[in-house]
Amino acid sequence: MNLLVIIIAVVAVVLLITGGLVESLQFLLWVGVVLAVIAVIVFLLRMISGRKV
């Protein structure tokens, strides 16, 4: 898996946890969701195309 995708996924998980625990920082929850979706899309595109980018 690409290093960038791993970093994006880790940041997404951290932001999801932080956004879930701290109600005043709930916008981080949405940022985490967006980053997680981007990471999944990039991963699926790499799996479908079979390229090592």
Side-chain angles (χ1 to χ4, degrees):
M1 195 184 279
N2 193 358
L3 182 61
L4 180 61
V5 176
I6 294 172
I7 292 172
I8 291 173
V10 169
V11 170
V13 170
V14 169
L15 290 178
L16 283 170
I17 292 171
T18 304
L21 293 177
V22 181
E23 191 172 330
S24 64
L25 298 176
Q26 191 169 1
F27 72 94
L28 289 178
L29 181 66
W30 295 107
V31 173
V33 169
V34 169
L35 288 176
V37 168
I38 290 171
V40 168
I41 289 171
V42 169
F43 176 73
L44 290 176
L45 286 175
R46 290 186 68 231
M47 293 299 290
I48 291 171
S49 67
R51 292 186 307 181
K52 298 269 183 182
V53 178

